[in-house]
Amino acid sequence: MTKAASPSSFAEKRSRQKADKLIQAAQSALASGNAADALARAQQAMSTAPGYGPALMMMAQIHRATGNLNEAAQLLQSACNLPDSKIDYFRELAGIFASASRYDLVQQILFAAIRKFPTHGQTYSDLGVYLIQSEHITQGITILEKAVSFSPDNWQALNNLGAALLKVGREKEALEYLARAEEIGPDDPERRTSNLLQLGEAKRHMGDLEGAQECFRKVIAQNPTSGRAWHDLADVMKFEPDSPEIKMMNDILNDTDIVLQKVDREMIGFALGKAYIDSKDPKQAIHHLDAANALRRQDFAENTPTQKAYDSKIACGRVRAIADYFPAELFKDLPQQDDNGPAHAFIVGMPRCGSTLTEQILGSHPETLATGELRTFPKFKDRLFGTLFPSQPEDHDKIGNSALLAELAKSYREEVHAMYPPTPATKLIIDKMLGNFSWVGLILLSVPGAKIIHCRRNPVDTCLSCYSKRFANLQVYTCNQTELGEFYRAYEDLMTHWRAVLPKDQFIEINYEDLVTNIEPEARRLIDFLGLPWDGAMLDFHKTERSVRTASAAQVRQGLYQTSVERWKPYAPYIKPLLKALGIKPD
C-alpha cells in the first residue's frame, strides 16, 4: 500500500521544476525520433529529481518506444508505488502488458488502479473490456456500469457497456447506452461507425430489421467500402436480381483503384453470396462464397505464434475419438435433477441445423428461459478438465472424478444464473451452444437431470448454409467445401455414438424438415420430453419478444417457411467437393 504524499520542500519543488523542463525536452526529442537524446534528457531529469513520477514515466515511455519493455515495466511499477502516483502510470503499465498479451496482469494492474482512484471512469471502462474478453462476463458488466456512473458522458464507456450487454442478450438496455453514445457523436469517424454497427446489431437481434437496415446504410453512406456494414445489411434485407446494392458491391470488388482491406473484401464477398442466393443465381452465389471463404481460410493455413494451422484430419480425428472415452456403462446411473433451481436443457448440433427455430419455439413457453449460445460449459470444461480433453489416458480418471464433475456443474449453473437470473416461474433454462455436441456425455455426467436436444437437418442443406455464412465465432471447417463435408461426417459419427449410449429420457432428436411441416406434433413431442405442460404460445414463436443473437436472427422473425428444405439441389453443379466429401451423388 502506498503512503500518503507528504508536502514537498522548497528545494524539492525547484528540483521538480528543473526536471519538468528536461522532461519536456525529452518528449520533443522522442516525438522527433531522436530516442538517444530523449534518453539522455530523461536520465538528467531522474538525477535532478530522484523518485519523481513524471521522470519515471518519461523514461518508461522511452524504453517502451525502443522495445525495452522489461525496463519500462519496472520503472512504471516504481511510479505506481509512489505516494503521489497518478492514474496515467497504472494505465501505461497496463498498456505494456496488454501489448504482450498478458491480460491477467493487465486486470491486476487496473484493479489496483481503481482501488487507488475509485472514481476514474475510463479505467473502469478499460477493465470491464478486459474482463469480458477473458469471459468474466458478469463481473465485466458490473465494472462497465460503474464506468458509466462515474463518466456518464464518456462515449467509450457507453459504447463498451452497450456492446457487453449485447453479448448477453440484454438488447433493450444495450440500445439505451448505444443511443446515448450516438447522441454524443464522437468526432472520430471510426468510433461513430463502430457505434452504428452495434446499434444495428441490437436492432436486428430485437427483430427491428428496418431499424437495423437504417443503421447499416448510414455506415455505408459514410464509408462505402465497409465490409462489416455490407455484410450486416445483407443479413437483414431481401435482394432481388435488380437490387442496386448488388451492382454497388460488385463495383467495389472490381475497382482496381480501391485498396480494400482483406477483411472488407471477404465480408463483401459473403454479402454478395447472400444477394445471389436471394436472387436465385446459384453459380454467382457459389463463385463469391468460394472466394470469400478462401480468404478467411488463409488465416489458418500456417502455424503462427498464437495458433496452429487447421488440419482437417486432426480435427475430425479428435471429434471421433471422444466416443472412446464415454462408453455406455457410464450412463447407467446419471445424477438426477435436484431442487436447487431450474432444470437445464442443451440444444446441440451443427450450425444452421434449425436450432434457432427450436430454441425460439421453446423460448416462447412461459416456464422456460432461453439464453442463446453460451460459452459457459466449454469454458469451465477447459479450465477443469483441460483444453485437449479428452485425449490422454488419465482423462478416463477425470471422467470418473465425482468432485470434478460436481465442480463443473456448480461453476456452470452459478455463471448461467448470474448472467440470466431465472424468475420464480422458470422451470427450465435452455443453452443453445451447438458445439456442445462434443460434450454431451460430460454434460449428462455433471449437470443433474440435464436433457439434450439434438437438432438435425438435411446434411447438404446444413453444410451449404454453413458455407454461406461468415460466423462471428469462426468455425474454420466451414471455410472449405471438402473440409466442411469431412467435419460433418465426423460430427455424424459422434452423434451416432451418443444416440446408441444415452438414455432415451435425456436425449431427443428433432428434424428441421419435420418441424417446419408439422410444428404442433413436434413441439408437443419436445415439451413432453422436457416435462413441461403444453402452451399454445409455442406455435406463435415468431411473435415472442426475446432477442435472437445467431446467424438466423432475421429468418426466425418470419414464422415458418419451407424454402430452406432441399435448398441445395440447384447448387449441385457448383458444390461437387462438398458432395464428394459427404459421400453424396447428385441425382
Side-chain angles (χ1 to χ4, degrees):
M1 181 180 291
T2 56
K3 297 179 180 179
S6 57
S8 300
S9 67
F10 177 76
E12 189 176 23
K13 287 180 180 178
R14 288 295 303 270
S15 297
R16 291 187 172 188
Q17 288 173 354
K18 291 178 181 179
D20 286 337
K21 292 180 180 180
L22 290 165
I23 292 167
Q24 289 175 1
Q27 289 171 335
S28 298
L30 187 61
S32 62
N34 192 341
D37 186 39
L39 184 62
R41 301 283 186 177
Q43 286 172 335
Q44 284 182 280
M46 289 181 65
S47 298
T48 302
Y52 183 36
L56 291 168
M57 174 76 152
M58 186 69 247
M59 182 66 84
Q61 289 174 330
I62 295 167
H63 281 305
R64 185 179 182 185
T66 54
N68 299 317
L69 299 184
N70 287 336
E71 292 86 346
Q74 290 173 11
L75 288 161
L76 287 166
Q77 286 171 343
S78 298
C80 290
N81 289 325
L82 292 172
D84 57 350
S85 65
K86 297 179 180 178
I87 188 66
D88 292 344
Y89 306 159
F90 289 86
R91 293 172 60 79
E92 184 79 9
L93 181 58
I96 288 174
F97 286 113
S99 66
S101 300
R102 289 299 309 274
Y103 301 118
D104 53 336
L105 294 178
V106 172
Q107 291 172 32
Q108 291 178 28
I109 293 161
L110 294 179
F111 269 118
I114 61 175
R115 283 195 294 270
K116 187 170 180 62
F117 302 94
T119 61
H120 194 267
Q122 185 59 52
T123 301
Y124 279 94
S125 180
D126 293 345
L127 175 57
V129 170
Y130 284 115
L131 287 168
I132 287 167
Q133 284 176 351
S134 59
E135 299 189 17
H136 298 289
I137 308 294
T138 305
Q139 187 181 21
I141 288 174
T142 300
I143 291 291
L144 286 169
E145 287 172 337
K146 289 185 177 181
V148 170
S149 70
F150 292 129
S151 302
D153 295 324
N154 182 319
W155 178 88
Q156 196 162 38
L158 290 166
N159 181 267
N160 288 340
L161 179 54
L165 292 169
L166 201 55
K167 277 181 176 290
V168 296
R170 292 164 60 181
E171 273 82 2
K172 289 183 179 179
E173 296 167 83
L175 281 169
E176 175 189 341
Y177 291 110
L178 293 171
R180 280 171 58 188
E182 178 67 8
E183 288 173 8
I184 292 173
D187 296 331
D188 186 341
E190 288 189 13
R191 285 187 170 189
R192 186 159 192 271
T193 290
S194 172
N195 200 69
L196 278 169
L197 289 170
Q198 288 171 345
L199 263 175
E201 185 178 356
K203 290 175 182 290
R204 177 174 72 94
H205 291 173
M206 293 300 295
D208 180 8
L209 303 187
E210 289 185 5
Q213 275 198 46
E214 182 182 352
C215 291
F216 302 142
R217 290 187 186 279
K218 282 182 180 179
V219 175
I220 291 168
Q222 294 173 10
N223 178 12
T225 62
S226 169
R228 168 77 185 278
W230 280 113
H231 175 272
D232 290 359
L233 175 64
D235 195 52
V236 295
M237 70 172 286
K238 185 77 171 178
F239 292 90
E240 299 294 338
D242 59 352
S243 293
E245 292 87 356
I246 295 177
K247 182 180 184 304
M248 292 169 67
M249 287 189 283
N250 272 310
D251 287 347
I252 291 169
L253 290 183
N254 296 328
D255 190 337
T256 55
D257 292 331
I258 297 177
V259 180
L260 275 180
Q261 297 290 325
K262 173 180 168 292
V263 67
D264 291 316
R265 183 172 294 279
E266 176 191 313
M267 296 185 91
I268 293 173
F270 276 104
L272 269 172
K274 162 65 161 56
Y276 284 116
I277 288 171
D278 286 352
S279 304
K280 296 180 171 55
D281 188 339
K283 183 177 181 180
Q284 281 298 314
I286 298 301
H287 167 74
H288 286 286
L289 291 175
D290 280 344
N293 275 298
L295 284 172
R296 201 164 202 213
R297 182 65 179 81
Q298 286 176 7
D299 294 338
F300 291 82
E302 298 178 355
N303 289 329
T304 71
T306 57
Q307 68 188 19
K308 288 187 176 182
Y310 179 78
D311 185 306
S312 181
K313 184 177 180 180
I314 293 174
C316 294
R318 285 196 63 194
V319 171
R320 289 189 172 96
I322 292 170
D324 298 335
Y325 290 81
F326 293 91
E329 54 266 26
L330 285 178
F331 304 102
K332 290 180 179 177
D333 187 21
L334 291 172
Q336 296 304 302
Q337 170 65 20
D338 50 34
D339 296 326
N340 296 328
H344 289 267
F346 295 77
I347 297 176
V348 303
M350 282 285 286
R352 313 298 295 163
C353 63
S355 60
T356 301
L357 174 60
T358 301
E359 183 197 36
Q360 187 76 351
I361 291 170
L362 291 176
S364 301
H365 193 287
E367 295 180 9
T368 67
L369 175 58
T371 61
E373 298 180 349
L374 300 181
R375 272 279 308 151
T376 307
F377 193 88
K379 176 179 72 176
F380 286 116
K381 185 279 298 181
D382 286 350
R383 288 183 186 175
L384 294 171
F385 288 77
T387 56
L388 297 179
F389 171 91
S391 61
Q392 303 300 319
E394 57 267 28
D395 288 336
H396 290 285
D397 295 331
K398 291 181 181 178
I399 292 169
N401 187 324
S402 58
L404 200 57
L405 292 169
E407 179 62 24
L408 176 59
K410 178 175 180 289
S411 299
Y412 173 79
R413 293 200 291 192
E414 285 181 353
E415 179 164 291
V416 172
H417 290 193
M419 288 195 295
Y420 295 91
T423 69
T426 304
K427 299 292 190 295
L428 180 74
I429 296 176
I430 303 165
D431 181 338
K432 195 183 77 71
M433 175 53 73
L434 294 174
N436 281 333
F437 76 81
S438 294
W439 317 123
V440 162
L442 195 60
I443 288 169
L444 293 187
L445 289 169
S446 59
V447 181
K451 298 203 173 186
I452 306 297
I453 301 166
H454 176 214
C455 289
R456 298 192 298 181
R457 181 183 175 192
N458 175 283
V460 191
D461 282 338
T462 299
C463 291
L464 178 59
S465 192
C466 286
Y467 196 62
S468 71
K469 290 292 181 181
R470 185 184 188 277
F471 294 100
N473 296 314
L474 175 61
Q475 314 288 340
V476 183
Y477 62 84
T478 66
C479 299
N480 176 278
Q481 289 193 35
T482 297
E483 292 173 342
L484 177 53
E486 291 170 346
F487 189 89
Y488 186 93
R489 295 186 77 166
Y491 141 81
E492 203 169 43
D493 287 346
L494 180 57
M495 294 313 303
T496 298
H497 172 73
W498 295 137
R499 189 179 301 119
V501 303
L502 299 182
K504 304 307 178 189
D505 61 343
Q506 289 184 258
F507 179 80
I508 192 173
E509 295 185 289
I510 294 293
N511 293 320
Y512 172 76
E513 291 81 5
D514 294 338
L515 191 59
V516 296
T517 54
N518 296 293
I519 180 175
E520 185 169 344
E522 290 300 298
R524 285 185 179 275
R525 186 165 71 93
L526 257 179
I527 213 68
D528 287 346
F529 166 75
L530 295 170
L532 295 176
W534 172 253
D535 194 287
M538 296 170 66
L539 301 182
D540 292 322
F541 63 89
H542 55 288
K543 298 178 183 177
T544 300
E545 291 189 6
R546 56 172 294 268
S547 70
V548 181
R549 303 189 303 281
T550 68
S552 304
Q555 294 95 317
V556 80
R557 303 292 180 185
Q558 302 171 21
L560 286 180
Y561 57 93
Q562 297 181 33
T563 55
S564 292
V565 176
E566 293 199 335
R567 167 192 175 197
W568 69 272
K569 290 193 172 180
Y571 294 82
Y574 315 109
I575 56 171
K576 291 179 181 177
L578 172 61
L579 295 175
K580 182 179 179 181
L582 288 171
I584 293 174
K585 293 182 179 180
D587 296 336

